[in-house]
């Protein structure tokens, strides 16, 4: 019999983040959205960095509070430099990449520039989904709010999250 992996979501406040990297043992990915890391202790930040370096995946998603992505601790981890926020008319690149049409609705996206790693969706001048290696792990940046329209209810969401959350050992950072 084969054991199928499953995903369990747990919501924590940043103050509940572990103090030591080994406390992340059963976690394969962490998604941050609208959460500043400047409120965690140095021990918590060190534990997070060590966990990523040992093979964890940190996903940093944006929302209207994009300025939180510019705080020093997040800035040091991201594969992009945050430049501001912009309004886009739909997400053609997501539709093309994942093969599912997306409604042509205006939405806010973080304007960024790739500094290290690779763009998965978009371009170096407008990375919508980017990643960088971090030791044996990786940091993934998503320039749009996954909980806002038109992403909510979009049929390509499953494919998007499969790519974002794929196990680190199956990721080709060199492409």
């Amino acid at each position: 019999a084969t054991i199928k992996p499953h995903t369990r979501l747990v919501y924590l406040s940043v103050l509940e983040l572990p103090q030591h990297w080994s406390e992340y043992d059963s976690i394969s990915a962490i998604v941050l959205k609208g959460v500043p890391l400047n409120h965690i202790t140095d021990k918590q930040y060190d534990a997070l960095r060590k966990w990523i370096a040992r093979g964890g995946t940190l996903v940093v998603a944006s929302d209207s509070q994009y300025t939180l992505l510019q705080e020093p601790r997040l800035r040091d981890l991201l594969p992009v430099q945050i430049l501001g926020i912009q309004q886009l008319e739909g997400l053609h690149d997501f539709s093309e990449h994942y093969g599912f049409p997306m409604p042509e609705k205006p939405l806010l996206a973080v304007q960024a520039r790739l500094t290290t790693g690779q763009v998965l969706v978009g371009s170096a001048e407008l990375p919508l989904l980017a990643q960088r290696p971090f030791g044996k792990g990786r940091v993934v940046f998503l320039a749009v709010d996954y909980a806002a329209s038109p992403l909510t209810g979009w049929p390509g969401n499953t494919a998007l999250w499969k790519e974002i959350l794929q196990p680190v050992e199956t990721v080709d950072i060199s492409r």
Side-chain angles (χ1 to χ4, degrees):
T2 58
I3 298 173
K4 291 187 176 184
H6 68 282
T7 302
R8 187 173 134 220
L9 297 177
V10 178
Y11 295 91
L12 301 173
S13 75
V14 289
L15 300 177
E16 295 174 288
L17 290 175
Q19 301 274 336
H20 191 270
W21 69 265
S22 64
E23 295 174 53
Y24 284 105
D25 243 4
S26 63
I27 298 171
S28 56
I30 293 175
V31 179
L32 292 177
K33 181 174 86 96
V35 176
L37 290 183
N38 57 348
H39 296 307
I40 65 175
T41 67
D42 289 343
K43 273 187 162 183
Q44 287 174 303
Y45 182 62
D46 186 55
L48 179 64
R49 289 177 58 90
K50 285 180 179 172
W51 168 77
I52 299 167
R54 284 176 165 77
T57 296
L58 176 66
V59 180
V60 181
S62 60
D63 60 13
S64 60
Q65 300 180 57
Y66 75 93
T67 55
L68 295 176
L69 302 176
Q70 295 172 317
E71 68 95 8
R73 287 179 168 174
L74 271 177
R75 188 177 58 227
D76 289 346
L77 296 172
L78 289 173
V80 297
Q81 176 188 8
I82 305 301
L83 303 173
I85 197 157
Q86 63 188 337
Q87 184 167 322
L88 300 178
E89 292 298 322
L91 292 170
H92 304 286
D93 291 336
F94 277 96
S95 297
E96 202 172 289
H97 186 80
Y98 296 107
F100 293 94
M102 187 175 292
E104 292 291 319
K105 291 185 174 181
L107 75 150
L108 293 178
V110 167
Q111 187 177 8
R113 185 181 68 233
L114 185 72
T115 54
T116 184
Q118 72 181 134
V119 174
L120 300 172
V121 178
S123 65
E125 298 77 36
L126 181 60
L128 297 173
L129 182 64
Q131 68 181 3
R132 71 168 279 204
F134 193 91
K136 293 179 182 173
R138 68 189 181 121
V139 178
V140 179
F141 166 74
L142 179 61
V144 294
D145 187 345
Y146 61 81
S149 180
L151 282 175
T152 53
W154 176 55
N157 254 328
T158 300
L160 168 66
W161 283 100
K162 275 187 179 177
E163 183 166 24
I164 289 173
L165 298 175
Q166 67 183 304
V168 171
E169 56 274 5
T170 66
V171 175
D172 179 9
I173 300 278
S174 65
R175 67 174 168 157

